[in-house]
């Protein structure tokens, strides 16, 4: 078993190199990059931050398609071969985390990512754990009460919540609880992560303020995976309850409660353990749609902004961080398999 996990950790390195190499090469050849945006800004067709050398070149009558483009390529480092650029990005710039942002020129990629990590942790950790803490007991209750009014009513609520897109549900709860429509309740903040005077509040009051701001976003975050996880727990538990080993346990005189909670439930959690490793990425990735709806400056919104502005250092830095977390999350899922089912032996 130890050798299996050691091999898995060793495979993280070539897999990470393959992911980063492919994404890095795509960013070098995709049109509309920083060179094209700087040319548009100099020509007056757009807005953006052009380097000082390019602005001086724009004041003289030079060929925009020739000399100025060469200066821009040299400024952004596109005049060197791709392998050299990738090596500098990977080794010298620590996966691009030390590179300065094209859009926020006074900050590096890691400074921007580090500032968004606490926001995503507030957003991701409660949403992840609340999803499992609600869906697993609900799925168990639905399996034990199959065909009852509770099962039918909860299925209706689950499927209605699953059918509503998260952004539509977010706009709906904002209208209901944030006072965007006259005559409705105005009990929760409209958006953001905390109030403007949060720094002057006490620790308890600031926690309550943060809780009020994050209540609706976390609720919308749970809606997306609520139905799928609940039905997965229910169906897998029903399959285990109908297995032959459960009939054998009941035939030996054990109660149904003992058979379900000591045997069937543990085997039913094996498919659910697949998503346990996702906590490493979900805590940091966030949700682009929900963060835009509630104006939350999280990791998902930063990724979207970096794509829209072609801020390649920030995008590649986010990609490298989430890639490592995703690969480690897969190993964590395998480890959860071993904890849940001792029959699993990956070395055989």
């Amino acid at each position: 078993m130890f050798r299996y996990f050691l091999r898995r950790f060793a495979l993280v390195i070539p897999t990470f190199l393959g992911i980063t190499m492919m994404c890095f090469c795509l960013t070098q050849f995709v049109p509309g990059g920083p060179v094209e945006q700087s040319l548009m800004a100099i020509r007056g067709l757009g807005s953006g931050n052009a380097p000082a050398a390019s602005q001086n070149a724009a004041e003289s009558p030079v060929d925009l398609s020739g000399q100025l483009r060469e200066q821009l390529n040299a400024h952004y480092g596109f005049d060197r071969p791709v392998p050299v650029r990738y090596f500098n990005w990977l080794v010298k710039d620590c996966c691009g985390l030390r590179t300065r942002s094209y859009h926020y020129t006074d900050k590096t990629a890691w400074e921007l990512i580090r500032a968004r990590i606490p926001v995503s942790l507030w957003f991701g950790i409660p949403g992840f754990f609340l999803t499992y803490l609600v869906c697993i007991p609900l799925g168990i209750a639905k399996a034990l009460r199959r065909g009852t009014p509770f099962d039918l009513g909860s299925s209706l609520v689950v499927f209605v919540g699953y059918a509503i897109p998260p952004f539509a549900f977010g706009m709906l709860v904002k209208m209901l609880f944030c006072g965007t429509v006259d005559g409705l309740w105005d009990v929760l903040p409209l958006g953001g992560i905390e109030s403007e005077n949060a720094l002057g509040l006490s620790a308890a009051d600031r926690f309550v303020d943060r809780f009020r701001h994050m209540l609706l976003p976390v609720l919308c975050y749970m809606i997306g995976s609520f139905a799928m996880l609940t039905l997965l727990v229910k169906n897998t538990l029903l399959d285990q309850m109908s297995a032959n080993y459960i009939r054998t346990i009941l035939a030996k005189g054990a109660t149904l409660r003992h058979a379900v909670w000591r045997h069937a439930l543990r085997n039913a959690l094996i498919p659910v353990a697949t998503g346990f490793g996702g906590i490493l990425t979900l805590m940091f990735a966030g949700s682009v749609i929900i963060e835009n709806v509630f104006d939350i400056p999280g990791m998902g919104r930063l990724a979207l902004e970096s794509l829209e502005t072609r801020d390649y250092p920030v995008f590649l830095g986010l990609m490298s961080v989430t890639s490592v977390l995703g690969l480690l999350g897969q190993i964590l899922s395998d480890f959860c398999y071993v904890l849940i089912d001792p029959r699993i032996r990956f070395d055989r």
Side-chain angles (χ1 to χ4, degrees):
M1 184 67 66
F2 175 76
R3 288 184 297 174
Y4 169 79
F5 284 104
L6 188 62
R7 291 195 301 267
R8 288 296 304 272
F9 278 108
L11 287 174
V12 168
I13 298 176
T15 307
F16 174 77
L17 292 177
I19 295 173
T20 55
M21 188 179 301
M22 182 178 299
C23 294
F24 184 85
C25 292
L26 288 176
T27 57
Q28 305 304 303
F29 301 104
V30 171
V35 175
E36 287 79 7
Q37 291 186 357
S38 297
L39 286 173
M40 292 178 60
I42 294 172
R43 290 171 178 172
L45 300 178
S47 59
N49 293 325
S54 300
Q55 293 176 358
N56 295 332
E59 295 175 359
S60 61
V62 296
D63 185 9
L64 292 177
S65 62
Q67 182 180 355
L68 182 56
R69 182 177 290 272
E70 293 178 358
Q71 293 178 358
L72 290 171
N73 287 329
H75 174 79
Y76 290 110
F78 293 126
D79 57 334
R80 288 169 288 182
V82 176
V84 175
R85 279 180 272 167
Y86 177 74
F87 178 81
N88 293 334
W89 174 85
L90 182 66
V91 178
K92 294 183 178 180
D93 296 331
C94 294
C95 298
L97 298 178
R98 293 180 179 176
T99 310
R100 289 200 172 274
S101 169
Y102 294 160
H103 187 64
Y104 303 96
T105 55
D106 58 335
K107 295 183 180 179
T108 61
W110 172 242
E111 290 175 347
L112 293 172
I113 296 173
R114 183 178 58 186
R116 305 292 181 97
I117 287 179
V119 178
S120 295
L121 290 178
W122 269 91
F123 181 70
I125 293 179
F128 182 86
F129 282 105
L130 287 176
T131 299
Y132 278 87
L133 290 177
V134 173
C135 293
I136 292 179
L138 181 59
I140 296 173
K142 287 173 64 61
L144 297 177
R145 302 179 184 180
R146 182 182 180 184
T148 62
F150 171 79
D151 183 27
L152 299 177
S154 59
S155 297
L156 178 62
V157 175
V158 166
F159 282 115
V160 169
Y162 181 73
I164 301 177
F167 73 91
F169 185 76
M171 298 301 296
L172 179 62
V173 294
K174 285 182 67 174
M175 289 190 299
L176 291 176
F177 301 105
C178 299
T180 57
V181 179
D182 294 337
L184 297 180
W185 302 290
D186 185 8
V187 294
L188 293 175
L190 188 60
I193 186 66
E194 59 185 7
S195 301
E196 296 180 356
N197 60 341
L199 296 178
L201 301 176
S202 61
D205 293 338
R206 189 174 183 182
F207 177 82
V208 173
D209 179 74
R210 184 68 64 89
F211 175 80
R212 295 179 68 250
H213 280 81
M214 300 304 296
L215 179 61
L216 294 183
V218 171
L219 180 62
C220 295
Y221 178 83
M222 293 174 57
I223 291 295
S225 57
F226 188 80
M228 186 178 300
L229 184 58
T230 301
L231 295 180
L232 177 62
V233 174
K234 174 188 174 182
N235 293 332
T236 53
L237 184 57
L238 288 175
D239 291 340
Q240 295 298 324
M241 290 172 62
S242 61
N244 292 330
Y245 75 93
I246 295 296
R247 297 192 184 96
T248 303
I249 294 173
L250 295 176
K252 290 184 176 180
T255 62
L256 179 61
R257 181 187 182 90
H258 176 84
V260 171
W261 291 99
R262 295 294 299 272
H263 301 278
L265 179 60
R266 189 169 186 174
N267 292 328
L269 291 179
I270 295 177
V272 181
T274 306
F276 288 169
I279 185 174
L280 297 181
T281 56
L282 291 176
M283 287 192 308
F284 293 94
S287 176
V288 178
I289 298 177
I290 298 176
E291 289 179 4
N292 281 329
V293 171
F294 291 96
D295 194 22
I296 299 175
M299 299 285 285
R301 192 172 178 183
L302 179 62
L304 180 62
E305 292 175 354
S306 63
L307 286 175
E308 290 177 345
T309 59
R310 298 294 195 275
D311 197 350
Y312 293 149
V314 178
F315 169 74
L316 292 173
L318 285 169
M319 182 270 302
S320 61
V321 172
T322 53
S323 297
V324 172
L325 294 176
L327 294 172
L328 295 179
Q330 294 180 1
I331 301 177
L332 178 61
S333 297
D334 290 345
F335 184 71
C336 292
Y337 289 153
V338 178
L339 294 180
I340 294 175
D341 191 351
R343 299 173 300 175
I344 297 178
R345 291 294 181 267
F346 291 107
D347 52 354
R348 295 180 181 176

